[in-house]
Amino acid sequence: MELSERFGSSSGEVRWTSVGAGPPLVLLHGTPFSAFVWRRFAETLGEWWRVYLWDMPGYGGSAKFDGQDVSLAAQGRVFAELLAHWDLERPAVVAHDFGGAVALRAHLLHGRAYERLAVVDPVALAPWGSPFFRLVRENAAVFEQLPPFLHEALVREYVNSASSPGLHPDVLARLVEPWLGEAGQPAFYRQIAQADQRHTDEVQPRYPELDLPFLVCWGADDQWIPAARATELAGLVPGARLRLIEGAGHLVQEDNPTALLGALLPFLRAEQG
């Protein structure tokens, strides 16, 4: 699905698109992914909603450049800007991984209202950041100098580890491609270097304030963020619903899309009932 539209955000050009018709629904990707992970869901959900997809600055087809702010703070601000650009006052939102923190920051810190919010294996609770994240964050300048073939091998193994059964080669290639080349390689390490837990620490104490329908979906076999975090997060949000997705790792959209869609549809369609 081509992201043919462009928006000049405070952190660089954002590529986006929308499909379908009906009430607004926004899908947020995580790191190190892109809107590509939601491609099949957008087509299906577009039967009931106008679905918005976007690549965050520094990701996918959006702008990547030296000195770019791609932190969680920046992404939350950009999402708030995008919602204003789209003139969406109360969309439904589904957010994966890093996108969960982006959506939560835009809501809690920037005052953007949602009809309802579903998070899928979100970055939301401290502590987070794998040993790999910590290693790269402390040595980003060194990793940027890796020969391209070594960098590509590292990124391929890292991205593939988000899937419990492993990704289809074509899907893996599409997810890795934005991180290659003169712009992509430094962008990959830039986004890790700027992944700071303080940006979730700022909002975590406010989760009990959330006053909207809230769904937590989690891959039962997630090796990036343990599924135990799902219960912890759901316990912090009044009235939260929880669905564990069997046979899925962190990248639930690829591992068990049918089960994830089965969890999301009743939750999202409740707004139309």
Side-chain angles (χ1 to χ4, degrees), residues 64-218:
K64 304 178 181 72
F65 53 84
D66 290 343
Q68 185 178 23
D69 187 353
V70 295
S71 66
L72 273 171
Q75 305 293 2
R77 182 179 65 249
V78 168
F79 185 40
E81 294 170 3
L82 259 181
L83 291 173
H85 175 68
W86 292 331
D87 197 24
L88 302 184
E89 294 185 357
R90 293 182 63 88
V93 174
V94 179
H96 177 241
D97 180 78
F98 185 92
V102 172
L104 287 163
R105 286 184 64 90
H107 179 66
L108 292 169
L109 300 182
H110 299 284
R112 303 305 305 191
Y114 307 145
E115 173 65 32
R116 58 194 57 235
L117 173 60
V119 292
V120 183
D121 298 64
V123 172
L125 299 173
W128 54 268
S130 66
F132 173 77
F133 248 68
R134 291 193 294 271
L135 178 65
V136 172
R137 189 162 53 233
E138 294 165 4
N139 301 278
V142 176
F143 277 90
E144 287 182 23
Q145 302 305 312
L146 283 176
F149 75 95
L150 287 179
H151 164 74
E152 180 174 355
L154 183 153
V155 176
R156 287 180 63 86
E157 289 301 314
Y158 178 57
V159 171
N160 198 43
S161 71
S163 167
S164 180
L167 295 169
H168 186 282
D170 291 344
V171 171
L172 180 58
R174 284 291 300 271
L175 291 174
V176 169
E177 190 275 333
W179 301 120
L180 306 181
E182 292 184 6
Q185 182 164 339
F188 179 78
Y189 300 111
R190 184 182 305 119
Q191 51 92 16
I192 294 178
Q194 294 184 29
D196 193 326
Q197 184 179 294
R198 66 187 173 91
H199 294 133
T200 52
D201 290 344
E202 290 174 356
V203 291
Q204 184 172 333
R206 298 185 59 183
Y207 295 163
E209 300 175 22
L210 292 169
D211 184 19
L212 76 172
F214 190 82
L215 173 66
V216 179
C217 296
W218 217 287

Side-chain angles (χ1 to χ4, degrees), residues 5 16-20 50-53:
E5 303 292 332
W16 67 276
T17 194
S18 63
V19 297
R50 184 177 182 187
V51 181
Y52 293 80
L53 303 99

